[in-house]
Amino acid sequence: MARRVHPFRRQRIAVLCLAALLPAAAACGPTAEQLEARQATQAPSVSAAGPAAPQQARVRTAEPEPPPPSAPLQVGVSGAQTGMAADVQDACQWLLRRDTAGFPDAGSCVSAAMVAGAGARQSLTTSASWLPPGTYSMDFRTAPGFSMELNSQDGDLEITVDGASRTLRTGDAAVAANADGGAEEAYAAVLVDAAELTANPDRLRSLLESARPALPEYDSEHNGVPVTKLTAVIEATEPGGFTGSLVLLLDDLYRPLLIEYTGTTRGIHSSVRASVTGWRSG
């Protein structure tokens, strides 16, 4: 006799059979109904976001700051310049680097070198300058402090400077130089100033500072000695003042071996040439 199966039990068996088949169906991928449902849920989110906005180019709001200027290269000394004083090295870096442009601070360089040189001897020849035309000899000291004694070749004129004392002697008469004094004192001051021009470091520095930047020329020679040549153009700072050129020949330690300036003063040609020898150790 056949066994009857209860309807409720038959439905339960069918449900269990379908559940057993579900893992295999999932492994085969989503069904068409599932794909349609997924697309339906994604479409609104895409349309809501809208198309992606184009990326804007960056706008430079300010130029980048340039790098700070590099410090000038400091050059040391060697060979014949080994004995150069430290302050001369600092003041004369332009020449040590062998820069060929105009030297804007040549006065400080030459002045420092003269002070380091302690003193020397000069032989001067003048032509219609503030000093009476002729030939002079001078002994001068640059450190400590400035002093000098100048004598004309014929012995008729002598100038001495020692600290605040500045004296002009002509023959047996002696006059203290004083620019604010009487006629004789003022005239003596003019001559003493002229005598100091090639020997006093401060006077020579002021003269170079009043000129255009001195042009350097390297590898020159003077009396068989290697020299550096400086040439500066001087323009009058007042009507009738000196206008002309200044030439200096410097030794290895940048001390003057020759100082020469030529030009006009109040329309009168004038020249001074000073040869320097015997620089002392600085």
Side-chain angles (χ1 to χ4, degrees), residues 80-106:
Q81 295 178 329
T82 302
M84 183 179 292
D87 59 338
V88 180
Q89 292 185 46
D90 292 340
C92 300
Q93 281 291 311
W94 195 276
L95 301 182
L96 288 171
R97 294 195 302 267
R98 297 178 69 86
D99 201 316
T100 57
F103 188 2
D105 200 18

Side-chain angles (χ1 to χ4, degrees), residues 127-130 236 238-244 261-271:
S127 171
S129 69
W130 294 282
E238 57 185 13
F242 177 79
T243 300
Y261 67 91
T262 58
T264 59
T265 305
R266 297 181 179 87
I268 301 174
H269 179 78
S270 61
S271 67

Side-chain angles (χ1 to χ4, degrees), residues 20-31 34:
L21 294 175
L22 282 176
C28 294
T31 63
Q34 290 174 332

Side-chain angles (χ1 to χ4, degrees), residues 1-115:
M1 180 174 176
R3 186 179 181 183
R4 292 183 60 186
V5 179
H6 195 277
F8 176 78
R9 188 174 183 182
R10 186 180 296 120
Q11 292 175 354
R12 183 180 179 185
I13 293 172
V15 171
L16 290 174
C17 291
L18 289 173
L21 294 175
L22 282 176
C28 294
T31 63
E33 290 80 1
Q34 290 174 332
L35 288 174
E36 291 178 357
R38 185 180 301 174
Q39 292 175 354
T41 58
Q42 290 179 350
S45 62
V46 173
S47 60
Q55 188 174 5
Q56 295 183 351
R58 293 183 178 180
V59 178
R60 298 176 65 182
T61 57
E63 291 294 330
E65 294 184 2
S70 57
L73 176 66
Q74 291 289 313
V75 180
V77 297
S78 60
Q81 295 178 329
T82 302
M84 183 179 292
D87 59 338
V88 180
Q89 292 185 46
D90 292 340
C92 300
Q93 281 291 311
W94 195 276
L95 301 182
L96 288 171
R97 294 195 302 267
R98 297 178 69 86
D99 201 316
T100 57
F103 188 2
D105 200 18
S108 294
C109 170
V110 174
S111 174
M114 292 178 70
V115 172

